[in-house]
Amino acid sequence: MLAPPAFAHTPATGLGPLADGAARLVLEPADLLLSIALVLLALQQHPPAVRRVIVLLPALWCLGAVLGQALPRELLLAPLITATFVVVALLVALQIRLPPWLFTGLAAATSLGFGVVNGSLLSGHAGSLSVVLGEAVALAVFAVVLAMGLEGLRFRWRAIALRVAGSWIAASGLLMLGWQLRHPQ
Amino acid sequence: MVRPSALHREAVLLLGAAALATIALLPAPVLAHADTSHGGGFVAGFLHPITGLDHVVAMVAVGLWGAVLAPPALWVLPVAFPLVMAFGGLLGMLGVPIPGVEIGIAVSGLVMGLMVLFELRPPLWLAALIVASFAVFHGHAHGAELPAGSNALLFSLAFVIATGLLHLAGILLGETRRWPGGRSFVRGAGGGIALAGLFFLERALA
C-alpha cells in the first residue's frame, strides 16, 4: 500500500519506469523536438546521414544519460537545451547542407549533451536507469518510424514539408526560450 | 465549362467580401468555463492564436497571399511568418517594447487583404519582408500576453501549430482560384480581410 516514489522530472504512467521513460519523450518534448529536427536535417543531407542519426541519436543519448546520472547535481540548462534544438531546426528551415563530418559531429554532440542533461535530472531516483532505457528505446523507434515515413514522400513535397516543420520547431523553441528567460528556474 | 460573366464575378467578389467582413465583425462568444489564463498546456496554446480575430484574419491572409503569389511564395511566406512571429514573441516575453503593436496588427490585415484583393505580386524578397515585418507585431502581442505556466513547450508548440494551420486554411482557400469563380472568391476574401483590418485599425486608433 506504500505510494510509489515520485520522480520530479518523470511522468507517472502507472505502467512502470520503462513506460514512464517512453511517456517522458512526449510529455516533456524537448528531446522529441531535437530528434525530429535531427531526422529532418538528416533527410536534407547525404543519404547515409539518416542511418547515422538513427543509430547515433538513441545510442549517444542513452550513453549521455547514464553518464549524467553520475553527476553530483542536476544540470539546469533548459535555455541552452532549447537554444540547441532551435539551431538544429533553423538549419532545417533554411535547408542548409552541412559537410558529412559536421553533420555527424552535430548529431553526436547534441544527442550526447541532451542525454547528459536528462541523466543528471533523473539521478538519485530509484529505477532511473529503466526510465532512461524506456526513453532511449522510444527515441530509437520514433526516429526510425519518422525517417521511414518521410522517405516515402515525393521529393518536392518532402522538401517543402521538411522546411515548414523546421520553421515550426524553431518557432516553438524561440517562444519557449523567451518563456524560460522570463521565468528562470 | 461555363465561364462566369463579369457581373457574376463581381457578385461573387462582393458576396465573399461581405461574408468575411460580417464574420470578422461578429462579437466573440463569451465562454464561462474557458481557461482565460492560457496558463499552459497544448489545448491552451492551440486556442491562443485563434481566439483573437485580428490575428486570425492576418494569418489567413498570409496563406491567401501566398496562394496568389504561387510557389515558391506559397510556402516561403508560411515558413517565414512563424519564425519571425516567434522572434517577436521572444521580444514581448523579455519585455522589449515595440511601439504601435495593435496598430501594426490591424495594418497587417488591411495591407495583406489589399494585396490579395488587387492580386499584387511584388518580388519574393519584398513579400517575405512585408509578411515578416507584420509577424513581429503579432508575435510581440502574443508574447507579452503569455503568463507563466506548466508545459510551456507544449503551449509554444501548439501555438505555432495553430498558426501554421491558419496559414494552411488561407492556402486552401487561395487554391480555389483554380476553379470557375474561385479567383473572384479569393479576391473577395481579400477585400473582406482588408475591411476587417480597417475596422481593427479604427479600433486601435480610437
Side-chain angles (χ1 to χ4, degrees):
Chain A
M1 292 174 69
L2 281 175
F7 298 143
H9 299 285
T10 308
T13 60
L15 300 171
L18 275 172
D20 290 350
R24 196 170 180 273
L25 184 64
V26 180
L27 296 174
E28 294 188 20
D31 294 321
L32 183 70
L33 293 180
L34 174 75
S35 61
I36 295 173
L38 278 177
V39 169
L40 301 187
L41 188 61
L43 284 162
Q44 291 176 329
Q45 312 296 316
H46 50 290
V50 179
R51 288 197 295 275
R52 276 182 208 158
V53 158
I54 288 171
V55 174
L56 283 178
L57 175 65
L60 287 179
W61 188 93
C62 192
L63 176 66
V66 172
L67 293 175
Q69 288 191 330
L71 293 175
R73 60 177 179 173
E74 292 183 354
L75 293 174
L76 298 174
L77 300 172
L80 184 64
I81 288 285
T82 307
T84 304
F85 78 72
V86 167
V87 169
V88 178
L90 274 176
L91 292 175
V92 177
L94 299 173
Q95 203 174 7
I96 291 177
R97 299 245 171 171
L98 300 172
W101 64 269
L102 185 55
F103 172 77
T104 307
L106 179 71
T110 52
S111 303
L112 192 67
F114 271 52
V116 169
V117 172
N118 278 286
S120 82
L121 295 177
L122 295 169
S123 64
H125 295 305
S128 58
L129 193 59
S130 300
V131 174
V132 165
L133 279 176
E135 187 164 353
V137 169
L139 263 177
V141 171
F142 179 78
V144 170
V145 170
L146 181 67
M148 282 173 61
L150 291 174
E151 278 281 2
L153 286 180
R154 278 174 54 195
F155 188 76
R156 183 175 145 70
W157 283 109
R158 192 182 79 183
I160 294 171
L162 296 189
R163 295 189 73 169
V164 170
S167 79
W168 286 14
I169 295 172
S172 307
L174 276 174
L175 287 171
M176 179 70 186
L177 195 59
W179 199 311
Q180 286 164 342
L181 294 174
R182 185 170 161 187
H183 308 287
Q185 291 163 322
Chain B
M1 191 172 64
V2 179
R3 281 190 158 274
S5 65
L7 188 63
H8 182 197
R9 275 201 301 273
E10 293 306 315
V12 172
L13 188 77
L14 278 173
L15 272 175
L20 262 174
T22 307
I23 292 167
L25 302 182
L26 279 174
V30 177
L31 303 175
H33 301 287
D35 174 16
T36 51
S37 68
H38 289 141
F42 195 87
V43 174
F46 194 84
L47 290 176
H48 198 89
I50 58 179
T51 47
L53 212 51
D54 46 353
H55 295 288
V56 171
V57 291
M59 288 171 200
V60 171
V62 172
L64 272 176
W65 195 26
V68 170
L69 290 168
L74 181 69
W75 56 269
V76 167
L77 300 189
V79 164
F81 192 94
L83 273 176
V84 185
M85 182 192 72
F87 179 69
L90 181 74
L91 296 180
M93 278 186 263
L94 295 179
V96 177
I98 293 180
V101 169
E102 290 305 321
I103 294 171
I105 290 169
V107 170
S108 71
L110 177 61
V111 169
M112 285 192 283
L114 290 175
M115 294 288 181
V116 175
L117 175 63
F118 296 114
E119 297 183 318
L120 297 178
R121 293 184 177 85
L124 180 60
W125 66 268
L126 184 57
L129 188 67
I130 291 170
V131 165
S133 310
F134 289 136
V136 174
F137 293 113
H138 288 269
H140 191 278
H142 285 307
E145 290 164 4
L146 294 185
S150 58
N151 282 327
L153 187 49
L154 282 177
F155 185 104
S156 306
L157 192 58
F159 182 97
V160 172
I161 289 172
T163 303
L165 290 178
L166 286 171
H167 294 328
L168 184 63
I171 290 171
L172 292 176
L173 279 176
E175 286 301 302
T176 59
R177 296 173 85 247
R178 297 161 190 261
W179 299 345
R183 195 174 157 199
S184 301
F185 169 74
V186 171
R187 291 185 65 194
I193 287 171
L195 281 177
L198 200 60
F199 170 74
F200 292 127
L201 182 61
E202 190 272 332
R203 255 191 0 185
L205 290 172

